[in-house]
Amino acid sequence: MKTCMPLLAAFAALALAGCSKPEQTAAPVAAAPQSGPRVIEINGNDAMKFNVIAISLAVGEEVRIVLNNVGSMPKQAMGHNLVVLKPGTDTVAFATAAAAAVATDYIPPAFADAIIAHTKLLGPKQSDGIVVKFDAPGEYPYVCSFPAHYQMGMKGIITVK
Ligand SMILES: [Cu+2]
């Protein structure tokens, strides 16, 4: 911040020198809106289910998807994440590759191009959020990539219109 001070001082000097019009002096510097994107909360539980399996969004709508692990089993046995994939991704192949990707918290490097966004792998009572915005209509699958959870039905679809 210290490096900004000479600039600010320069602007102030210009303003005092009479270069400013009234409407320019009134602009607040830190007036960013406090309301962020719409939040969609999804719970994952010890029964290997998401409580939300269908989401509808408008093209270009920015949303924050928050995954809450509401279970109580240890992360090593019952971790959850939420991975959003591009339309048309072979989700079975993805889940199979993910199950082997232990070193990367079940995010398979070979599918990096298919992943739009993903949360961290969450232990019990942990939460993580991702901000997404889809510029093209389609059906975007989301899955938990912890081993066997996709096969148990821990998945959903984001429909973008
Ligand atoms: Cu899971």
Side-chain angles (χ1 to χ4, degrees):
M1 289 304 288
K2 279 182 178 171
T3 54
C4 296
M5 291 308 290
L7 263 181
L8 287 173
F11 280 124
L14 279 172
L16 288 172
C19 298
S20 65
K21 295 170 187 165
E23 60 266 34
Q24 290 176 314
T25 59
V29 176
Q34 293 302 302
S35 60
R38 180 162 70 98
V39 174
I40 297 170
E41 295 217 42
I42 302 178
N43 296 336
N45 63 19
D46 286 348
M48 292 170 280
K49 293 289 186 288
F50 289 134
N51 71 331
V52 175
I53 58 169
I55 296 171
S56 291
L57 297 179
V59 171
E61 179 184 5
E62 187 176 68
V63 293
R64 180 173 169 81
I65 299 174
V66 176
L67 175 65
N68 306 307
N69 182 345
V70 298
S72 56
M73 291 176 63
K75 181 178 175 179
Q76 292 75 12
M78 188 58 71
H80 299 302
N81 64 10
L82 190 150
V83 185
V84 181
L85 299 166
K86 289 181 180 172
T89 300
D90 183 340
T91 49
V92 173
F94 174 83
T96 302
V102 183
T104 50
D105 278 351
Y106 308 110
I107 300 298
F111 277 79
D113 288 347
I115 298 171
I116 291 174
H118 68 86
T119 69
K120 292 182 285 192
L121 184 66
L122 304 177
K125 311 309 177 220
Q126 293 181 328
S127 297
D128 190 29
I130 51 176
V131 175
V132 291
K133 186 174 87 170
F134 301 90
D135 294 326
E139 299 204 328
Y140 297 75
Y142 62 91
V143 305
C144 174
S145 71
F146 194 89
H149 289 197
Y150 169 82
Q151 287 80 359
M152 291 296 294
M154 206 163 187
K155 59 187 175 180
I157 298 282
I158 301 170
T159 301
V160 179
K161 291 178 186 170

